[in-house]
Amino acid sequence: MTDSILSVRDLRKVYRKAFQRRGGIAALDGISLEVGRGTIFGLLGPNGAGKTTLLKVLLDLVRGYEGEARVFGLAPSDPRSRRRVGYLPEAHRLPGHLTGRQLLRLFGGLSGCSPQELERRIDPLLERVGMTVAADRKVKEYSKGMQQRIGLAQALVHQPELVFLDEPTDGVDPVGRAQIRELVLELKRSGVTLFLNSHLLLEVELMCDRVVIMDKGRILREGTIAELTPKTGVVHFEIGAPRDDLDRVLAGVGRNLKVEGARFELGLDPAEVDQAIDRLRAAGISIRAVDPRHLNLEQSFLDLVRSTTGGGVSR
Amino acid sequence: MNRHVLRALFEDAFRQVLDDKVFRLLVVLAILLILPTFLVGFTPEGISLLFGWKVYSYSELTSAFGRSVPQSPELSKEFIRGLQDIIVSGLAGTVGILFCIAATAFFVPRMLEKGAADTLFSRPVGRFTLLVARYAAGVLFVAILSFFLVLGMHLGFWLVSGWSDPAFLWSALTLTYVFALVHSVSVVVAVLTRSSIAAILTTLVFFVFTGCIHQNWISLEHSRAVKAEAVERGESEIEAPGGFQFLLDTLDVMHATLPKTTDADFIVAGLRKSLTEAEADLRDANGLVSVVAKPEGFQREGTETVDLGAAPARWIATAADGREKARIELSRRSRRDSTDVDAKGKPKLRSPGSFTLEESKTIEKDPATIDKPVRGSNPDADSMAFSWVRWRARGESADTHRARGFAALGEDVYVVDAVFEAEFGTNEDRERALRRFVDQVRVERKSAANMKAQEWYASTFDWSSVWRHNALVSIGTSLLFAAVMLLIARWRLSRIDF
């Protein structure tokens, strides 16, 4: 992949207790990954899959790993690698003694931004995350959704080129979620690379260009949304009016016909689709829509994880 | 680390401190301590309430407790000094520090909690820098409170009472210093356990424990000094180490290793002394005794340092026509009398009383003596007990009033010899002059045996003392301890997976 800003090679991390030399829990078990600039990268996996550990290794929050990790070509332990990175952790706890505005000044300052730069940036950013009104209230007085919004703002205040978002819409109401989705897409359009870790698969499906599905510290599958949601072989038809003779009209074409009023589904091979349309038209049936059905991401994810764990997936 | 990062960290530390409820409570308590200094004034005339609305003389006040204190211009200063010591060293230095330990112990564990640590440590700032910033926030917490309390009290006394010990301002710095030492322990425990409760309990125990160690060490050093003096006098021999030697060595090692929190009071006392004490009017060449200021109306000729063992120092009060109307002399001689020896043939040490007795017998035989000499014990000096003999003698033109006092100090006896001509004034005037002179006599270096352990340590602890009692060594080793604590915290913090 060209213009890669993040890469990991054969990354392994084992959590061991103090003085434990062997054994332990393998959170990452040989992960290799490369992320290009300006994409939204989704991380999926059941609890304990190693998604958060992967993010934390890249942010130097977890150390003592094996293999190679590079962010902007630098090791995570190099503070310069984090200068251009924003992070919204899952279940974050922001300093309650600060107001929203002071919080953005603190995190912007810690990322090396000057007070003048921050003065220019903070108000527009507060507006983008819908926190202008509550900007001068203490963070400890914020609701869960407000904390999430201001948390997102702190991840963006220093204008990072790479943003890790761990459950960004957690606790946010539907309107807020839509705003955050819009913000994420806006960031992508401005060339920011986003790493999205979410349990809301619909959200991932709507926003991500590429998705990695992980389990037990390994990558099970990686690809675009289209690649991860293959066609099912079932085609959905909508016709002008209900017909009782569809069995007869479509006899010998496809399988598993299911009729429901003016709609029906039929299992078809790609070559059989034209044949089915021809039969319907020859019988004088008006066709309103033809929709080849895909697996959605949730089905695809569950199928994949179940096939490796033998069921019992918790998300 | 650029200046924007430093600024952000400082602002955050400051805001964290201001947001703390315990901090606000302590500010209110400090105001309650400061307020009386603005409402009650300690003046040479007495204690005035609400800017002179009511004034009580010191004797009036103390007589209510069954004891009368004579009016003195120094008394108001003594009251102010005493109150400053009680409030700052006693109250803020112990209870206040304990409060602050509890109030700041959560700073680091809260930073290391899941969720908080992720956001903070994912920034391009070193973990140790963030830890030091939290440590500094704790120290800032105490610095603000200490300076507020000390400056407030200083201002109150200065404006309303007309005087405040300027060296008292050092107390704010030493309170912060003591807390900085103790807080380093809180930080290391917080990093190791990530628990506020563990940090509070361990630090409180440590604070009390180090206090005990140093107090015991001071007692040990004092007993060593007493023994060394006895050996020097040939009254005792150095004993071979006993069964407790291991414990004593352990105490020595612990004292040397642990931060010397109790030394802070001695450092303040030393600084106050160096700032407030004027150059002495006279110093004995042996360095044991000084006369702080010349008695009122008297003049002395000669240099600041004289050998009182060779010749007496002399203060003279003269009348308008230049005639001498009073003379006070101070001299020193050995307490050992070759005529009175012990079983080993060594001359015995004589008490001041025996000198007075012998002196009164001699005076009685003197034909110039008018009345029978009277012996007494007043006035006493700061830390020297005088034994006096008073009598009247015929002078060249008129009768003179005489007083001779003896006070023992180690191997020597100091002798005050006063001669008052009739024109000097009444008996009250003579006694006042004598008292004022004796009040100015200070013992610079007393025998360890004559002092309590704390008093002895205060007298030996100095910037230029031997290393065991040296203020710089005390501060250096204490700061080294704090630095080691922070380095341990750094080592552990670098290995934490958040």
Side-chain angles (χ1 to χ4, degrees):
Chain A
M1 191 178 287
T2 56
D3 204 12
S4 156
I5 59 170
L6 183 157
S7 67
V8 293
R9 299 257 182 285
D10 198 23
L11 199 64
R12 289 167 202 277
K13 169 67 190 175
V14 179
Y15 286 112
R16 293 191 176 99
K17 289 179 183 168
F19 309 113
Q20 188 182 359
R21 292 257 172 206
R22 294 176 174 219
I25 299 162
L28 297 176
D29 191 7
I31 299 273
S32 294
L33 193 67
E34 202 151 332
V35 177
R37 194 178 289 273
T39 55
I40 303 182
F41 207 92
L43 264 184
L44 296 180
N47 292 338
K51 307 180 299 286
T52 303
T53 301
L54 175 61
L55 295 191
K56 288 186 172 183
V57 164
L58 294 168
L59 288 160
D60 195 38
L61 293 168
V62 165
R63 294 173 171 178
Y65 57 86
E66 289 171 31
E68 189 189 76
R70 284 273 182 273
V71 180
F72 297 108
L74 299 164
S77 57
D78 187 335
R80 287 174 301 165
S81 73
R82 300 196 294 280
R83 200 161 286 162
R84 292 187 278 166
V85 176
Y87 178 42
L88 171 67
E90 184 188 11
H92 55 75
R93 189 178 289 192
L94 299 166
H97 60 273
L98 299 176
T99 65
R101 193 182 299 279
Q102 289 166 349
L103 181 103
L104 297 186
R105 280 201 204 112
L106 166 68
F107 284 106
L110 290 181
S111 295
C113 301
S114 71
Q116 294 77 19
E117 275 178 287
L118 291 170
E119 281 309 309
R120 278 200 308 275
R121 283 181 201 167
I122 286 174
D123 281 330
L125 184 58
L126 285 166
E127 205 176 326
R128 279 168 86 186
V129 297
M131 287 295 290
T132 305
V133 176
D136 295 309
R137 274 167 55 194
K138 289 268 170 74
V139 170
K140 61 188 168 193
E141 296 166 9
Y142 285 177
S143 67
K144 177 90 168 43
M146 290 163 95
Q147 297 228 8
Q148 199 66 10
R149 287 161 189 251
I150 203 73
L152 183 62
Q154 67 77 28
L156 303 175
V157 68
H158 55 298
Q159 296 187 333
E161 292 169 48
L162 172 63
V163 180
F164 295 101
L165 301 176
D166 204 347
E167 302 294 347
T169 56
D170 192 19
V172 181
D173 59 39
V175 179
R177 271 187 216 170
Q179 280 180 333
I180 290 175
R181 270 201 300 273
E182 181 50 39
L183 178 62
V184 167
L185 293 171
E186 197 184 309
L187 288 167
K188 185 203 162 186
R189 282 194 291 274
S190 62
V192 175
T193 306
L194 290 112
F195 225 89
L196 188 66
N197 185 1
S198 176
H199 281 150
L200 297 173
L201 299 187
L202 181 65
E203 214 159 63
V204 174
E205 205 170 341
L206 285 171
M207 292 192 283
C208 294
D209 302 312
R210 290 185 74 79
V211 172
V212 158
I213 298 177
M214 291 177 68
D215 190 25
K216 293 176 183 164
R218 292 186 187 149
I219 291 177
L220 299 182
R221 192 128 180 232
E222 183 191 347
T224 62
I225 295 292
E227 285 165 354
L228 292 172
T229 55
K231 287 177 187 167
T232 57
V234 174
V235 178
H236 181 89
F237 289 85
E238 194 179 327
I239 52 179
R243 293 278 294 245
D244 296 332
D245 57 347
L246 283 174
D247 279 356
R248 188 183 53 77
V249 172
L250 294 168
V253 182
R255 6 177 225 275
N256 301 331
L257 175 68
K258 287 178 193 164
V259 183
E260 197 181 318
R263 295 188 181 115
F264 68 90
E265 279 182 1
L266 188 63
L268 293 170
D269 294 330
E272 289 177 313
V273 177
D274 285 345
Q275 206 180 340
I277 291 171
D278 291 346
R279 289 271 191 96
L280 291 169
R281 293 296 300 138
I285 297 170
S286 161
I287 302 169
R288 297 272 168 86
V290 179
D291 180 17
R293 285 292 159 98
H294 288 255
L295 269 180
N296 65 24
L297 191 58
E298 182 162 321
Q299 285 166 326
S300 184
F301 169 77
L302 289 173
D303 288 348
L304 189 62
V305 175
R306 275 178 186 146
S307 69
T308 57
T309 60
V313 178
S314 68
R315 287 192 287 118
Chain B
M1 185 170 47
N2 71 29
R3 63 196 164 91
H4 303 316
V5 174
L6 273 178
R7 182 188 162 136
L9 288 171
F10 177 78
E11 282 183 4
D12 179 49
F14 191 65
R15 291 207 169 97
Q16 184 170 21
V17 168
L18 292 187
D19 188 63
D20 193 291
K21 284 197 177 70
V22 181
F23 177 81
R24 292 178 190 175
L25 176 75
L26 290 174
V27 168
V28 172
L29 286 176
I31 290 171
L32 291 177
L33 291 171
I34 292 167
L35 205 58
T37 65
F38 283 90
L39 301 177
V40 182
F42 296 90
T43 60
E45 291 75 39
I47 297 173
S48 81
L49 297 181
L50 300 173
F51 314 103
W53 171 64
K54 213 147 198 185
V55 180
Y56 298 97
S57 72
Y58 294 107
S59 53
E60 200 180 336
L61 199 76
T62 52
S63 62
F65 296 95
R67 198 176 163 199
S68 183
V69 172
Q71 204 79 4
S72 151
E74 291 296 309
L75 206 54
S76 59
K77 292 183 180 179
E78 289 303 319
F79 261 91
I80 291 170
R81 262 195 211 109
L83 281 171
Q84 287 176 333
D85 277 347
I86 290 169
I87 292 173
V88 173
S89 300
L91 206 61
T94 51
V95 183
I97 293 275
L98 295 179
F99 257 99
C100 293
I101 288 170
T104 56
F106 70 88
F107 282 10
V108 172
R110 193 172 280 180
M111 177 181 76
L112 300 177
E113 279 173 6
K114 271 204 178 304
D118 293 343
T119 330
L120 211 52
F121 291 112
S122 61
R123 296 284 154 176
V125 183
R127 291 183 178 189
F128 186 58
T129 306
L130 291 167
L131 182 75
V132 170
R134 280 293 178 276
Y135 171 74
V139 176
L140 187 69
F141 183 106
V142 173
I144 293 173
L145 281 173
S146 306
F147 279 88
F148 178 64
L149 176 67
V150 169
L151 279 173
M153 284 183 71
H154 182 71
L155 201 65
F157 282 126
W158 187 63
L159 288 176
V160 178
S161 302
W163 183 85
S164 181
D165 186 351
F168 169 65
L169 296 172
W170 283 107
S171 307
L173 205 61
T174 48
L175 278 178
T176 312
Y177 162 72
V178 168
F179 181 78
L181 299 178
V182 176
H183 192 44
S184 67
V185 176
S186 175
V187 166
V188 79
V189 176
V191 173
L192 291 172
T193 64
R194 297 205 229 174
S195 156
S196 304
I197 300 290
I200 291 172
L201 290 178
T202 313
T203 313
L204 290 179
V205 169
F206 177 82
F207 183 53
V208 174
F209 177 73
T210 44
C212 291
I213 289 289
H214 300 312
Q215 297 294 355
N216 283 303
W217 183 82
I218 288 170
S219 299
L220 173 67
E221 283 290 280
H222 178 240
S223 66
R224 282 171 176 159
V226 171
K227 193 168 276 182
E229 282 177 0
V231 170
E232 205 175 300
R233 288 195 302 269
E235 290 171 3
S236 174
E237 284 169 12
I238 296 172
E239 290 170 22
F244 288 111
Q245 191 57 42
F246 173 73
L247 287 176
L248 300 182
D249 290 344
T250 307
L251 191 60
D252 268 332
V253 170
M254 289 181 92
H255 169 80
T257 315
L258 293 171
K260 290 136 198 83
T261 48
T262 47
D263 280 355
D265 286 341
F266 299 114
I267 292 169
V268 174
L271 288 168
R272 288 173 80 165
K273 197 176 162 191
S274 64
L275 277 181
T276 53
E277 229 168 52
E279 274 300 297
D281 183 47
L282 173 139
R283 276 180 211 284
D284 190 3
N286 65 3
L288 290 180
V289 163
S290 66
V291 177
V292 179
K294 57 175 78 71
E296 203 179 317
F298 284 76
Q299 291 297 326
R300 188 179 70 83
E301 286 178 2
T303 57
E304 186 197 322
T305 304
V306 294
D307 185 358
L308 295 176
R314 189 171 295 132
W315 289 264
I316 294 167
T318 50
D321 58 5
R323 278 186 303 114
E324 181 180 311
K325 60 177 184 177
R327 185 174 72 243
I328 300 175
E329 289 181 355
L330 179 65
S331 60
R332 167 172 50 85
R333 54 178 133 136
S334 173
R335 285 172 67 193
R336 295 199 187 270
D337 189 339
S338 57
T339 57
D340 190 9
V341 294
D342 61 16
K344 291 179 182 172
K346 193 176 176 188
K348 284 182 183 170
L349 273 178
R350 290 181 62 191
S351 68
S354 77
F355 280 104
T356 321
L357 186 64
E358 185 187 284
E359 199 71 19
S360 58
K361 282 177 186 166
T362 314
I363 292 163
E364 215 172 337
K365 287 175 193 162
D366 188 344
T369 304
I370 300 170
D371 301 326
K372 196 178 176 189
V374 179
R375 286 186 288 141
S377 59
N378 274 324
D380 267 350
D382 167 41
S383 45
M384 291 167 84
F386 271 91
S387 180
W388 292 93
V389 57
R390 291 176 176 82
W391 75 99
R392 209 149 56 93
R394 284 184 202 89
E396 288 172 10
S397 55
D399 294 347
T400 57
H401 293 266
R402 307 283 304 268
R404 194 167 290 159
F406 299 85
L409 190 64
E411 288 285 301
D412 298 317
V413 63
Y414 279 83
V415 185
V416 174
D417 197 2
V419 181
F420 299 101
E421 300 296 336
E423 63 185 296
F424 186 79
T426 62
N427 189 44
E428 209 169 88
D429 294 332
R430 290 191 292 273
E431 285 304 314
R432 193 182 300 120
L434 209 54
R435 176 178 290 280
R436 282 184 181 169
F437 174 75
V438 170
D439 275 348
Q440 302 301 320
V441 178
R442 293 272 190 281
V443 177
E444 298 291 331
R445 194 155 44 82
K446 289 186 272 187
S447 157
N450 293 336
M451 287 189 278
K452 289 178 181 162
Q454 295 289 316
E455 189 192 356
W456 167 81
Y457 188 64
S459 71
T460 59
F461 186 80
D462 196 17
W463 302 100
S464 54
S465 297
V466 291
W467 72 270
R468 290 167 77 88
H469 309 148
N470 188 293
L472 286 173
V473 173
S474 168
I475 293 171
T477 52
S478 300
L479 291 178
L480 183 66
F481 175 88
V484 170
M485 288 296 108
L486 291 179
L487 287 174
I488 293 172
R490 179 188 184 168
W491 169 81
R492 179 67 194 115
L493 189 62
S494 69
R495 278 156 181 77
I496 293 178
D497 286 334
F498 292 105

